[in-house]
Amino acid sequence: MSTDAIVLLKNDHKEIRKLFKQFQSAGENAVQRKGEIVKEIIEALTVHTYIENEVMYPEVRKLLPDLEDDVLESYEEHHVADVLCAELHAMEPDDEHFVAKTTVLIENVTHHVEEEEQEWFPKVRDGLTRKQLQDIGARMIEVRDKAPRTPAQPSALKKAIDAVTA
Ligand SMILES: [Fe+2]
Ligand SMILES: [Fe+2]
């Protein structure tokens, strides 16, 4: 199996797009079903974001400093998606904000994924060797096992824990 980093990330993107389509084609009244799909979306995005943030982006930034601005923009786009995922994770599917929030999440992530695939990956592919991309991919497979599956704890809770353990 190829460990090419771009191939691995594109496979993730394909899965994520599939989940988005499932959400969009679920019926108007499929509240519970939509809730289940959103859980899967949150898990897929949490894992994918983790491996990009932990491995892909820092490695590319180090090896191809010219692409630094793209990497910094990606961190911000991920951050927006993280906030929406954390809010959705804490929300019941029958909340009046649930569908609207998911729709905005899907729009944002679709935009980000298109930029990666159409603009960023080709530049990375040009700048790195096959071996470099395979090494990055192998590292991503390793890190994937310890990736979180759900969004980080709400910051209020985290602050309380930090205060106790400080
Ligand atoms: Fe990304
Ligand atoms: Fe991605």
Side-chain angles (χ1 to χ4, degrees), residues 13 48 52 57 74 78 112 116:
H13 289 173
H48 183 73
E52 285 191 340
Y57 294 161
S74 287
H78 280 202
H112 173 69
E116 285 190 334

Side-chain angles (χ1 to χ4, degrees), residues 127-147:
L128 300 183
T129 64
R130 281 176 71 85
K131 170 85 171 82
Q132 282 174 318
L133 282 167
Q134 279 168 359
D135 289 346
I136 295 172
R139 186 80 197 96
M140 291 195 314
I141 290 171
E142 260 175 55
V143 162
R144 193 177 191 96
D145 287 337
K146 60 162 189 172

Side-chain angles (χ1 to χ4, degrees), residues 25-101:
S25 60
E28 183 87 3
N29 298 316
V31 175
Q32 202 193 333
R33 170 94 184 104
K34 281 184 185 154
E36 284 159 13
I37 299 166
V38 167
K39 266 194 197 135
E40 287 187 61
I41 288 174
I42 291 171
E43 178 173 342
L45 289 178
T46 304
V47 172
H48 183 73
T49 294
Y50 186 81
I51 63 173
E52 285 191 340
N53 284 353
E54 291 294 309
V55 183
M56 185 68 175
Y57 294 161
E59 284 297 323
V60 171
R61 192 177 180 181
K62 199 169 67 193
L63 296 165
L64 301 172
D66 281 357
L67 299 188
E68 180 158 69
D69 286 352
D70 294 324
V71 170
L72 290 172
E73 195 181 309
S74 287
Y75 281 129
E76 295 308 320
E77 290 180 347
H78 280 202
H79 174 65
V80 172
D82 286 347
V83 170
L84 295 171
C85 281
E87 288 174 353
L88 281 167
H89 182 63
M91 191 177 272
E92 294 301 326
D94 61 358
D95 190 296
E96 68 168 356
H97 296 285
F98 192 80
V99 170
K101 208 176 275 294

